[in-house]
Amino acid sequence: MAESSPLPNPRNASAPRAGGPHADTLAANEQRVETDVPTAALPALVAAPLSLVGKTFGDFELLAEIGRGGMGVVFKARQISLERTVALKMLIGEHLLDPARLARFVSEARTIAGLDHPHIVHVYQIGQCEFGHFFAMEFVKGRTLEAVVREKHPVPLAWAASIMTKVGEAIQHAHSKGVIHRDLKPANIIIDGRRPVVMDFGIAKYLGKSSSLTQQGTIVGTPAFMAPEQAGEDLVPVGPHSDIYSLGAILYMIVTGIPPYDGPTPLSTILKVLEPTPPAPLRDLRPDVPDELERIIMKCLAKRPADRFPSAGDLVEELRRFGAAKTTKRISAPSSRLLRVVLTVEATGKKVRLHKPITLVGRAPECTLLVRASDVSKHHCQILIDTDKVVVEDLQSANGTYVNGKQVKKARLHDGDELRIADHAFGVRIEEGEG
């Protein structure tokens, strides 16, 4: 239920972001929300007691406080007329004086109300009372996915795939309605038995609509789970592909127990997200992860949106297939589905087998394929291995990456090609993986 606060842009905090339909927050028509509370009453509302537990207004009795964030408070409440328990989110105190916060609060309620999916929290009513604006929603019993993983790690891989299949279905539904969540993270998913429920659409936005609810030059979201294009100035606007990245980051965290990127401060985490270096291979952190699951997760986490799954629905289908194979014990040994790639060092004849979905090449110690030479950049290039293709991508190296003598930024590799990293040549051998 926690709110995400705007963060300064690490690349250019003072520069305004480019305009356009993807540059701002949800619902342009909500930015001038009016309140029926008389202006003279606002000082009293701002000075409202810290706790409203035990108070009754309209059809609701506040039973307990269950969450408090940057924009409001969430209560467990009883809806008297229907005799049911609900969660009631309330915008109170000084936030009532901030039109942008009020607009965002109302937008969140109306956004969720427009979505109808079993794995998205349901909104029942929106209104206001003497204590402030509120909306009543489904009370979801359970704990956050973050808390479950922290307690149960390592969780079964089939369970991880099953949970994220359902979350992916919910996000695909939201995308089909034109809604991008923008703050997907384990803390915003409640696990109610076997049912995951996506919460907190507070910074969601509609595709094709703009508003002034996001401050220029700021970043909204949670650094450890946000996509590179969301974390900094990028020519690619935030879109469904950004949520797909976040889904991959969540699955990475469920499987390994840690997010793909993390740092001591939000800014240091953002800088890691923006770097071209991929996250640590999952099997380095958890050896029992099959290549197929690692491939799915790393595809979500591709730095370039075009390299991710085309839609959340495509991700769901991959997870379903993995889950079915895992259930029937048909997940084969590592490297059984990925193409098999062997590089031969032309100068020495030494052979190097690439067995991970992403191989980082360079002279930095963390590189998967270490080339100790002064003309090779620290992070020179990366080789992406999938079930049907192998791609090399230059990472803005100083001395270039070449395929068959031609310098490339990104190119598909074929069996028999020559790959040259700066002045170091490798023969490429590609074979079908054994299924």
Side-chain angles (χ1 to χ4, degrees):
M1 297 286 185
E3 304 289 347
S4 298
S5 301
L7 296 168
N9 191 306
R11 292 190 174 178
N12 190 355
S14 62
R17 294 178 66 89
H22 303 287
D24 297 302
T25 308
L26 173 66
N29 60 337
E30 301 299 344
Q31 55 185 298
R32 295 181 58 84
V33 176
E34 302 294 336
T35 174
D36 294 332
V37 179
T39 303
L42 288 176
L45 292 176
V46 172
L50 292 177
S51 176
L52 298 176
V53 174
K55 301 289 185 181
T56 299
F57 62 87
D59 198 25
F60 300 99
E61 177 188 2
L62 303 182
L63 304 176
E65 182 178 317
I66 58 177
R68 183 177 288 261
M71 288 209 326
V73 184
V74 181
F75 297 93
K76 180 180 180 180
R78 182 170 71 95
Q79 189 171 7
I80 300 169
S81 63
L82 296 178
E83 296 185 347
R84 67 178 175 184
T85 301
V86 300
L88 193 141
K89 188 168 186 177
M90 183 172 289
L91 186 69
I92 59 176
E94 69 277 8
H95 300 317
L96 289 169
L97 302 176
D98 186 340
R101 287 182 183 268
L102 178 56
R104 184 175 293 169
F105 182 84
V106 174
S107 291
E108 178 184 7
R110 292 182 176 173
T111 298
I112 303 174
L115 302 174
D116 184 13
H117 193 275
H119 298 296
I120 295 177
V121 66
H122 295 104
V123 165
Y124 300 138
Q125 182 179 335
I126 182 172
Q128 61 187 91
C129 65
E130 63 266 33
F131 305 117
H133 287 259
F134 71 89
F135 62 86
M137 55 187 169
E138 171 190 10
F139 180 76
V140 182
K141 297 179 181 178
R143 296 183 299 159
T144 66
L145 177 59
E146 181 180 49
V148 172
V149 172
R150 187 184 300 118
E151 178 183 332
K152 302 292 186 181
H153 182 74
V155 301
L157 297 176
W159 182 86
S162 174
I163 288 294
M164 290 310 295
T165 297
K166 296 169 184 175
V167 173
E169 290 171 348
I171 298 307
Q172 176 59 31
H173 172 76
H175 291 174
S176 72
K177 302 297 182 181
V179 175
I180 308 165
H181 191 286
R182 295 205 301 174
D183 196 23
L184 290 168
K185 57 185 177 181
N188 282 345
I189 299 169
I190 302 293
I191 305 298
D192 181 8
R194 295 185 177 182
R195 176 192 174 218
V197 183
V198 180
M199 316 287 287
D200 202 342
F201 283 73
I203 60 170
K205 61 167 287 188
Y206 278 112
L207 283 169
K209 290 187 179 180
S210 62
S211 79
S212 58
L213 300 184
T214 300
Q215 294 179 341
Q216 290 184 335
T218 62
I219 295 170
V220 291
T222 302
F225 298 96
M226 66 169 58
E229 66 273 10
Q230 190 175 345
E233 297 288 352
D234 200 292
L235 296 177
V236 180
V238 172
H241 47 263
S242 307
D243 280 350
I244 291 169
Y245 179 99
S246 298
L247 291 172
I250 294 170
L251 187 50
Y252 187 105
M253 185 266 189
I254 297 174
V255 170
T256 67
I258 61 174
Y261 298 101
D262 202 8
T265 66
L267 182 58
S268 65
T269 302
I270 287 175
L271 293 175
K272 289 183 179 181
V273 171
L274 292 172
E275 289 176 353
T277 310
L282 282 86
R283 295 185 66 227
D284 287 358
L285 302 170
R286 184 170 172 176
D288 65 328
V289 176
D291 273 7
E292 180 69 4
L293 181 58
E294 184 171 37
R295 182 190 67 82
I296 291 170
I297 295 172
M298 299 305 275
K299 187 175 180 72
C300 291
L301 294 175
K303 297 290 186 176
R304 294 169 21 136
D307 295 332
R308 300 173 202 154
F309 287 99
S311 71
D314 290 301
L315 168 60
V316 165
E317 287 305 312
E318 288 281 324
L319 288 173
R320 281 197 186 118
R321 187 175 66 81
F322 171 82
K326 186 71 176 174
T327 300
T328 57
K329 302 186 185 300
R330 288 189 286 107
I331 295 293
S332 52
S335 299
S336 61
R337 287 187 174 84
L338 297 178
L339 291 173
R340 294 163 51 183
V341 180
V342 177
L343 299 182
T344 302
V345 183
E346 292 190 357
T348 65
K350 180 179 178 180
K351 297 183 183 298
V352 181
R353 184 187 174 200
L354 308 184
H355 58 277
K356 297 183 180 297
I358 299 180
T359 296
L360 180 63
V361 183
R363 58 181 173 87
E366 64 269 21
C367 291
T368 316
L369 179 55
L370 189 60
V371 183
R372 294 188 178 93
S374 59
D375 59 342
V376 174
S377 298
K378 289 184 177 180
H379 299 153
H380 197 101
C381 65
Q382 61 182 1
I383 299 173
L384 313 174
I385 305 175
D386 210 326
T387 56
D388 60 347
K389 63 182 177 181
V390 180
V391 173
V392 62
E393 180 178 8
D394 186 79
L395 299 178
Q396 299 179 343
S397 65
N399 293 309
T401 301
Y402 300 80
V403 176
N404 299 328
K406 180 180 179 181
Q407 186 170 3
V408 298
K409 290 185 177 179
K410 185 174 184 179
R412 185 165 179 172
L413 291 175
H414 299 88
D415 187 42
D417 281 349
E418 180 193 70
L419 171 65
R420 186 155 57 86
I421 298 166
D423 197 34
H424 308 273
F426 297 81
V428 179
R429 183 67 186 273
I430 301 175
E431 298 176 349
E432 293 289 334
E434 295 178 358

